[in-house]
Amino acid sequence: MHQILLNGNMTDLQLAFIITVPIALALFIGIALYIPISHYYKRKNFQIQFYKKVYQTALDYDYYLINQFVFRIDDNKNALVDHVLFGDKFIYVITSQYYEGDLVGKATDGSLVFISHRGKKAYTDNPIIQSKNLTKKLSAATGLNASLLIGIVLINDDCKVQVTSDSKQFYIIQRKRFPALIRAIEKRPLPAINEQQLANAVQAIAKANRRKK
């Protein structure tokens, strides 16, 4: 009788083992695959996420927004600005970058140190310098006063930035911090762009936009 009960218990344990092991294995595989799949999705779709943050900021403050703005640099070359946001006091020239790692350096350096998630170091082009050049070219192409233009490089939230800068015009910032940056800049003790100036700026940008041509 005892032997029969023992065999019955062993059968139950074996059944539980058969059921539990595949479930645990599936969970393990799912967790193992989640991180690379999640990174791939973020990398492929980061511009959509960035757009949502910029659009929501424009909506919250009733700012005019132009996306995917393309303008001519010379007869053979165009330049792309991901977003142009018209604030009350400034016009924001926004580009976006995705980094699978962290950035270290100075805003004035031609290159920054890129540190991958695995700890490997390499040099990468400084996006702040690129933003400065882009903003300068935009000012020349549209006739907009360069002092009204704020260059912002948006990066993914999991990229840690240790880039020293004392600039009040050019920034590199995580996506989640974008609304706070706009609020801080718009609080500067400066007069707002008058309605006519703002209308002229919007028209100048719209006229230079080659995306729809």
Side-chain angles (χ1 to χ4, degrees):
M1 180 67 177
H2 292 295
Q3 183 66 34
I4 294 173
L5 290 176
L6 182 59
N7 288 340
N9 289 337
M10 287 296 292
T11 301
D12 291 341
L13 289 173
Q14 289 173 347
L15 181 61
F17 180 81
I18 292 172
I19 294 173
T20 303
V21 169
I23 294 175
L25 185 60
L27 288 174
F28 176 79
I29 294 174
I31 293 172
L33 292 176
Y34 172 78
I35 294 177
I37 291 175
S38 176
H39 284 168
Y40 176 81
Y41 177 82
K42 290 179 180 178
R43 184 174 67 252
K44 296 295 288 185
N45 298 279
F46 75 95
Q47 289 184 326
I48 296 175
Q49 300 301 317
F50 288 11
Y51 161 74
K52 290 180 179 179
K53 182 65 70 174
V54 175
Y55 173 77
Q56 188 60 51
T57 303
L59 197 64
D60 290 342
Y61 295 100
D62 195 26
Y63 290 163
Y64 189 76
L65 175 65
I66 295 177
N67 299 301
Q68 296 295 297
F69 168 65
V70 178
F71 67 98
R72 175 174 288 181
I73 295 178
D74 54 41
D75 292 339
N76 300 314
K77 189 175 181 180
N78 293 331
L80 169 67
V81 180
D82 293 323
H83 314 283
V84 180
L85 181 66
F86 297 83
D88 291 329
K89 298 180 180 180
F90 295 96
I91 300 169
Y92 301 91
V93 182
I94 304 164
T95 55
S96 53
Q97 295 278 0
Y98 186 91
Y99 294 98
E100 292 188 327
D102 305 326
L103 296 174
V104 179
K106 297 180 180 179
T108 54
D109 291 342
S111 300
L112 298 178
V113 177
F114 170 74
I115 305 174
S116 72
H117 294 310
R118 296 183 179 181
K120 293 184 178 180
K121 295 182 179 181
Y123 285 104
T124 186
D125 292 338
N126 187 342
I128 298 178
I129 299 296
Q130 295 173 336
S131 179
K132 288 181 179 180
N133 293 334
L134 184 64
T135 301
K136 182 178 179 180
K137 291 172 182 175
L138 177 61
S139 175
T142 60
L144 293 174
N145 190 328
S147 65
L148 293 176
L149 304 179
I150 301 290
I152 298 177
V153 180
L154 278 184
I155 60 172
N156 42 303
D157 292 340
D158 55 351
C159 175
K160 297 178 182 178
V161 183
Q162 299 180 35
V163 178
T164 58
S165 174
D166 57 4
S167 175
K168 301 298 182 183
Q169 187 175 11
F170 298 97
Y171 300 86
I172 181 169
I173 193 166
Q174 295 166 323
R175 179 182 65 95
K176 63 184 178 183
R177 303 185 187 278
F178 175 73
L181 175 63
I182 297 300
R183 287 197 300 270
I185 294 175
E186 289 291 321
K187 287 182 180 179
R188 292 177 184 175
L190 296 170
I193 304 172
N194 66 50
E195 292 185 7
Q196 188 57 53
Q197 283 181 312
L198 184 58
N200 291 342
V202 173
Q203 290 175 7
I205 293 290
K207 184 177 180 180
N209 194 353
R210 301 182 59 83
R211 183 170 179 264
K212 297 180 180 179
K213 297 180 180 180

